[in-house]
Amino acid sequence: MTKVKIVTDSSCTFKKEVRDALNITVIPLSVMIDDVVYTDDDSLTGEKFMAMMATANNLPKTSQPPIGYFAELYDELGKDGSSIISIHMTHTLSGTVEAARQATFLTASDVTVVDSDYIDQSLSFQVIKAAELARDGADVETILNAIDEIKNNSRLFIGISSLDNLVKGGRVSRAKGVISNVLNMRIVMELKEGTLIPVAKGRGKKTFQKWFETFKAEMGENVKKIGISHTGETDFIVEAKAALQEMFPEIEIPVLHTNPIVATHTGKDAFAIMYYTEA
């Protein structure tokens, strides 16, 4: 029986022990800080990156792996006859998924590339499910159907304490309705079909707390997975985790420092809360 192997990129946030237990291959992106290029791998933790960004002269720049890197990896993974499903962050935030698609024309391996439409733990929801099914012997079609089901029932919200990095990185233009010259506003945006859409904005911590009450009311009862990511744990994150755990005591809720790819654009004291429901 042909095996299926799962590939993703380093914008996918999950516990390393989960990655290793499920044999998920992670392709690292690169981050350039003051003209020095760093590989976004295990040696560049989120905490280490935040400290480096805080003292950098310029906003770090991120870049996707070259097409040839993807092709070589696909050749290696597929040489035993395995099929490959390569799941990546939304194309609206990076060219990574397009580089992966172009690499499929350069490899002899059987590769299916998936645009997750998401990032961070919302991407990991799809990746982990795919890897679990692959481990259990599911075929490519079954795994792709499961990925689509999660994608279609996912929601991801990002809270930003400062628009500085979004403005510097040119991402603020993707968030319609944000007033870019008011940099001390707190903003909550939903990543929907690859686009950042503001859903709440204001001044002070109450902006996040007020939004969170609406968020909880909209979740419903069929929640399957929840994740919280951040660029530095705050009181709000601790309170949000406790409230969600009380609502869904049977669900493990990882609270993880996000990766450098996400943190570059969100800046410090940012968070993301994401979940998906059963159809």
Side-chain angles (χ1 to χ4, degrees):
M1 180 174 64
T2 302
K3 292 176 58 179
V4 181
K5 296 179 180 179
I6 306 302
V7 175
T8 188
D9 60 71
S10 61
S11 73
C12 183
T13 301
F14 48 11
K15 294 178 180 178
K16 293 179 176 60
E17 52 265 36
V18 173
R19 175 198 67 190
D20 295 342
L22 292 172
N23 294 315
I24 299 166
T25 300
V26 178
I27 295 181
L29 280 73
S30 298
V31 183
M32 185 170 68
I33 306 174
D34 290 342
D35 299 323
V36 179
V37 177
Y38 300 87
T39 301
D40 183 20
D41 56 18
D42 287 355
S43 66
L44 186 63
T45 64
E47 293 85 353
K48 180 179 178 181
F49 173 76
M50 293 304 296
M52 296 169 68
M53 183 167 66
T55 59
N57 294 319
N58 301 293
L59 183 71
K61 297 180 179 178
T62 62
S63 60
Q64 69 262 20
I67 297 170
Y69 184 98
F70 280 100
E72 291 176 6
L73 176 66
Y74 294 156
D75 282 343
E76 179 64 24
L77 292 176
K79 67 182 182 181
D80 62 356
S82 295
S83 295
I84 299 161
I85 298 178
S86 199
I87 314 166
H88 299 284
M89 76 170 103
T90 173
H91 72 281
T92 61
L93 297 180
S94 170
T96 301
V97 71
E98 183 56 33
R101 285 194 179 115
Q102 291 183 37
T104 63
F105 297 103
L106 303 177
T107 179
S109 299
D110 174 30
V111 183
T112 303
V113 174
V114 176
D115 185 340
S116 72
D117 281 344
Y118 286 100
I119 199 167
D120 203 87
Q121 290 192 61
S122 280
L123 167 56
S124 79
F125 293 157
Q126 299 177 33
V127 171
I128 290 171
K129 184 63 174 180
E132 289 174 342
L133 289 170
R135 175 199 60 196
D136 295 341
D139 59 21
V140 169
E141 183 179 2
T142 299
I143 296 172
L144 292 177
N145 287 337
I147 291 171
D148 278 342
E149 183 174 342
I150 293 174
K151 181 192 304 188
N152 294 335
N153 292 284
S154 290
R155 299 192 78 179
L156 165 61
F157 295 88
I158 302 172
I160 307 291
S161 295
S162 169
L163 292 178
D164 287 340
N165 284 28
L166 283 174
V167 171
K168 291 175 183 177
R171 299 291 180 182
V172 76
S173 61
R174 298 183 185 276
K176 299 176 183 177
V178 172
I179 304 173
S180 61
N181 63 339
V182 184
L183 300 182
N184 62 347
M185 291 185 69
R186 284 175 167 81
I187 307 289
V188 180
M189 297 176 286
E190 182 174 7
L191 182 61
K192 195 169 185 177
E193 296 180 352
T195 300
L196 290 170
I197 302 171
V199 296
K201 56 186 175 181
R203 300 177 187 273
K205 293 192 297 183
K206 289 185 178 179
T207 301
F208 293 156
Q209 293 165 343
K210 185 177 180 180
W211 162 79
F212 187 62
E213 293 305 312
T214 302
F215 168 82
K216 289 190 296 180
E218 292 178 345
M219 291 184 76
E221 299 180 352
N222 297 323
V223 175
K224 185 70 174 177
K225 295 286 185 181
I226 304 171
I228 301 174
S229 297
H230 60 84
T231 58
E233 197 166 53
T234 62
D235 290 343
F236 170 76
I237 292 168
V238 173
E239 293 164 4
K241 163 66 185 296
L244 291 172
Q245 199 68 78
E246 184 176 356
M247 291 173 63
F248 302 98
E250 74 286 357
I251 297 178
E252 179 187 1
I253 305 176
V255 179
L256 306 174
H257 199 295
T258 193
N259 55 78
I261 304 305
V262 175
T264 295
H265 302 297
T266 62
K268 66 178 183 177
D269 295 334
F271 70 85
I273 302 179
M274 56 224 96
Y275 69 94
Y276 75 87
T277 59
E278 291 183 325

